Amino acid sequence: MSSSRVRSLARFALPAAAVVLLPAAVSPARDASAAAADVLLSQGKPVSTSTLEASALSGENAVDGNLKTRWASAVSADAQWLRVDLGQAATVHRVKLNWEAAYAKKYRIEISDDGENFKPIATITNGDGGTDDLTGLSGHGRFLRFVGTERATKYGYSLWELQAYGTPDSSGDTQPPTAPSNLAAGEIGANSVALTWAAATDNVGVSGYEVLRDGKSIATSTSTSYTDNGLSPDTDYTYTVRAKDAAGNASPVSAAVKVHTKPGTAGNTFVLAAAGDIAEQCTASSSSCMHPKTAKLVQQINPAAVITMGDNQYDAENDSLTLQNFKDYYDKTWGKFKSITHPVPGNHETYDDTPFQAYEQYFGKIATPNGKRYYSWEMGNWHFIALDSNGFVDDKDGGELKDTDQMNWIKQDLAKNTKGCVAAYYHHPRWSSGDHGDQRGSKQLWDLFAQNKVDLILNGHDHHYERFVPQDANGKADPAGPVEIVGGMGGANPYPVHAAHPTTAKLLKDTFGVLKLTMTDTTFSEQLIGLDGTVLDSSPTYTCHN
């Protein structure tokens, strides 16, 4: 077989085993005028990959138009992929692959509208390297993906170039932004790196930036800064950034900056995912249903544990909460992480014929490890206190209730703690600029935690996102106080917000997402991850009080 071949519909009509083309995805061969209208859709577009053999062999190399640079997946692993964001929806008629020596014996070319749900437009079952020129295709979507299913060598998959040709849905804005400049690393810790860069320019406007670590996309940011957390100590990393506009056009990557994290302890760094106010009675079949989308964010974060801050499952209007509600909605999305979840109840868990019954039936011992709806648990150098704030807050007006047994337990638990960092979480926030506002009944909890130098407090109840600077018992800025984060944007319909508190660091309304918490032996930091994976807020890295 020669090193350069053309795979067309005609060539692969026989033998049938060589190529499988779905009738719904592939149309008859087009006339010459249609073929002549095709343009190169993939060059310079954003790429994501399943794995990399090395940082120098990044996915961007496969769409840079340079046959001397290549992408290579991890060695000795099948089911690898490379995905190209074409920037806008297009009809793909041709895909050309230039293989390095490590080629695919079997692979698929797939297309998708949303980057998640793909359909195959060609399946190759007898690849022999060289150049594959797949013509006569007719797949429509924004995202194109190569999926290698069987390697031909002992190595991974390696492409000099992948080129997709076709017709975009509209000419529109096709001019990409300029590359960001002056990428620099600021504060470098054992587990984090703070990055800043100069803004890119665009003929219409820059909509955001994609951050790449060692050639692989890790996050997006709407600002010209990003803090990368959860890194390994005493390790080299290389970062680049590229800009995007609203039409999906992407700039070339910036000049790279290389960093080396400080020495430290790797084993005690972990990432948590957290949110409250989660599962309304809807499913993924409805585009307005948000808890399936936030559950996907949890999956992407891949946390060591999941924290929920109450109102895990919502009752139907004028109907009591039931175990079946949990099974029909929460369990099918966030329930995938049940084994690593540490929940607390909200006020909606009380809207049951027997308050909390469905909540306790669904979560079982996970929610009541000591037979109570409050408990503590530990990970690394962190002590976590999970509380039922319904015992302290009057659901009608936010006023104060007394739960002497739980309060006594909290005091005993704090006294017994031997960990250096402490976090507490419960449903009702002491401070909130949301519709429910400051919960007076939570004052007794906040005062106790401020007195005991608790580091972090997570709440829900109000359906928005709000991060506060550290505060004292009176809600005044105080570096010795706890950081409070209201994270009630797990899926329930947003509530209105009012004027921000003087101590509000970030306030976002009409927002859905998941808190990503990065914890070390002595520090913590938080990011709000939006539905599209964009980082909507990044906190400073805080040092634990004790």
Side-chain angles (χ1 to χ4, degrees), residues 32-277:
S33 62
D38 284 352
V39 297
L40 179 57
L41 302 166
S42 53
Q43 190 160 314
K45 293 299 194 293
V47 174
S48 57
T49 61
S50 53
T51 61
L52 297 176
E53 180 184 336
S55 60
L57 303 176
S58 66
E60 287 71 24
N61 293 343
V63 295
D64 63 0
N66 185 350
L67 289 175
K68 294 183 179 180
T69 62
R70 64 187 176 96
W71 163 67
S73 70
V75 174
S76 302
D78 281 316
Q80 301 295 315
W81 52 264
L82 179 147
R83 189 189 75 176
V84 183
D85 180 353
L86 301 178
Q88 61 177 310
T91 300
V92 176
H93 301 129
R94 176 189 176 198
V95 176
K96 185 177 181 180
L97 303 96
N98 293 94
W99 291 102
E100 194 255 354
Y103 65 93
K105 182 178 180 181
K106 296 180 180 180
Y107 66 92
R108 297 189 305 272
I109 301 298
E110 301 176 334
I111 203 157
S112 168
D113 292 322
D114 58 9
E116 295 184 1
N117 301 296
F118 284 84
K119 59 183 179 182
I121 60 174
T123 301
I124 305 301
T125 59
N126 67 341
D128 54 4
T131 300
D132 291 343
D133 198 349
L134 310 180
T135 62
L137 309 179
S138 185
H140 183 269
R142 172 170 171 166
F143 299 87
L144 185 83
R145 185 168 70 176
F146 155 81
V147 181
T149 56
E150 183 178 330
R151 293 167 292 119
T153 72
K154 65 180 181 180
Y155 303 102
Y157 300 94
S158 183
L159 282 166
W160 293 112
E161 201 72 13
L162 182 150
Q163 296 172 307
Y165 296 86
T167 55
D169 282 7
S170 61
S171 55
D173 174 23
T174 60
Q175 180 177 331
T178 61
S181 59
N182 299 329
L183 176 63
E187 182 178 353
I188 301 174
N191 309 107
S192 64
V193 173
L195 300 169
T196 59
W197 56 89
T201 60
D202 184 67
N203 62 318
V204 177
V206 174
S207 61
Y209 298 89
E210 185 176 17
V211 182
L212 299 94
R213 183 205 310 134
D214 295 334
K216 188 171 183 179
S217 178
I218 57 167
T220 55
S221 175
T222 56
S223 67
T224 55
S225 64
Y226 175 76
T227 299
D228 191 18
N229 295 299
L231 302 175
S232 298
D234 201 20
T235 302
D236 290 320
Y237 294 99
T238 300
Y239 291 94
T240 54
V241 178
R242 62 182 163 213
K244 288 185 176 182
D245 62 20
N249 300 306
S251 75
V253 295
S254 67
V257 61
K258 295 183 178 181
V259 303
H260 188 88
T261 52
K262 293 180 179 179
T265 304
N268 292 330
T269 297
F270 57 93
V271 173
L272 305 176
D277 308 271

Side-chain angles (χ1 to χ4, degrees), residues 493-514:
N493 287 330
Y495 288 164
V497 299
H498 306 291
H501 286 54
T503 49
T504 298
K506 188 75 170 184
L507 175 64
L508 295 174
K509 65 177 182 178
D510 299 329
T511 298
F512 298 98
V514 173

Side-chain angles (χ1 to χ4, degrees), residues 162-474:
L162 182 150
Q163 296 172 307
Y165 296 86
T167 55
D169 282 7
S170 61
S171 55
D173 174 23
T174 60
Q175 180 177 331
T178 61
S181 59
N182 299 329
L183 176 63
E187 182 178 353
I188 301 174
N191 309 107
S192 64
V193 173
L195 300 169
T196 59
W197 56 89
T201 60
D202 184 67
N203 62 318
V204 177
V206 174
S207 61
Y209 298 89
E210 185 176 17
V211 182
L212 299 94
R213 183 205 310 134
D214 295 334
K216 188 171 183 179
S217 178
I218 57 167
T220 55
S221 175
T222 56
S223 67
T224 55
S225 64
Y226 175 76
T227 299
D228 191 18
N229 295 299
L231 302 175
S232 298
D234 201 20
T235 302
D236 290 320
Y237 294 99
T238 300
Y239 291 94
T240 54
V241 178
R242 62 182 163 213
K244 288 185 176 182
D245 62 20
N249 300 306
S251 75
V253 295
S254 67
V257 61
K258 295 183 178 181
V259 303
H260 188 88
T261 52
K262 293 180 179 179
T265 304
N268 292 330
T269 297
F270 57 93
V271 173
L272 305 176
D277 308 271
I278 298 170
E280 292 195 328
Q281 296 198 9
C282 60
T283 65
S285 60
S286 169
S287 61
S288 63
C289 189
M290 294 300 164
H291 65 92
K293 299 177 182 180
T294 56
K296 288 183 179 179
L297 295 178
V298 177
Q299 186 172 7
Q300 293 168 15
I301 292 171
N302 190 27
V306 173
I307 287 173
T308 64
M309 290 91 80
D311 285 3
N312 305 270
Q313 175 61 57
Y314 282 82
D315 47 300
E317 188 174 359
N318 300 319
D319 203 357
S320 297
L321 184 66
T322 67
L323 175 60
Q324 194 62 44
N325 295 153
F326 273 95
K327 292 179 177 179
D328 288 344
Y329 305 106
Y330 180 95
D331 189 62
K332 293 180 179 179
T333 56
W334 282 66
K336 297 175 182 178
F337 319 106
K338 184 177 179 181
S339 64
I340 60 170
T341 296
H342 301 273
V344 296
N347 54 295
H348 278 267
E349 272 82 19
T350 71
Y351 302 164
D352 193 335
D353 289 338
T354 301
F356 305 107
Q357 179 173 281
Y359 168 79
E360 294 180 357
Q361 287 176 333
Y362 175 74
F363 283 111
K365 287 294 184 181
I366 292 174
T368 56
N370 58 3
K372 306 290 186 180
R373 289 185 298 276
Y374 46 89
Y375 58 95
S376 60
W377 56 283
E378 294 178 341
M379 185 173 287
N381 194 37
W382 279 84
H383 183 76
F384 296 91
I385 304 173
L387 300 177
D388 174 14
S389 57
N390 292 287
F392 300 97
V393 180
D394 189 332
D395 190 31
K396 295 179 181 179
D397 61 2
E400 184 174 345
L401 299 176
K402 293 292 185 182
D403 189 337
T404 304
D405 289 345
Q406 188 173 180
M407 181 59 78
N408 288 339
W409 176 88
I410 297 170
K411 293 176 180 178
Q412 293 169 7
D413 185 76
L414 286 167
K416 293 177 182 177
N417 172 50
T418 60
K419 298 295 184 179
C421 302
V422 181
Y425 58 101
Y426 45 92
H427 189 59
H428 301 85
R430 174 65 184 103
W431 314 108
S432 172
S433 303
D435 204 42
H436 289 302
D438 299 346
Q439 298 292 284
R440 302 187 309 280
S442 290
K443 181 180 186 302
Q444 52 199 311
L445 295 173
W446 181 268
D447 290 354
L448 178 63
F449 291 142
Q451 177 185 349
N452 283 270
K453 298 189 180 301
V454 167
D455 301 287
L456 173 65
I457 293 178
L458 303 175
N459 305 117
H461 199 42
D462 268 328
H463 299 181
H464 72 282
Y465 170 83
E466 189 166 12
R467 175 171 58 85
F468 291 86
V469 302
Q471 302 172 88
D472 63 14
N474 298 312

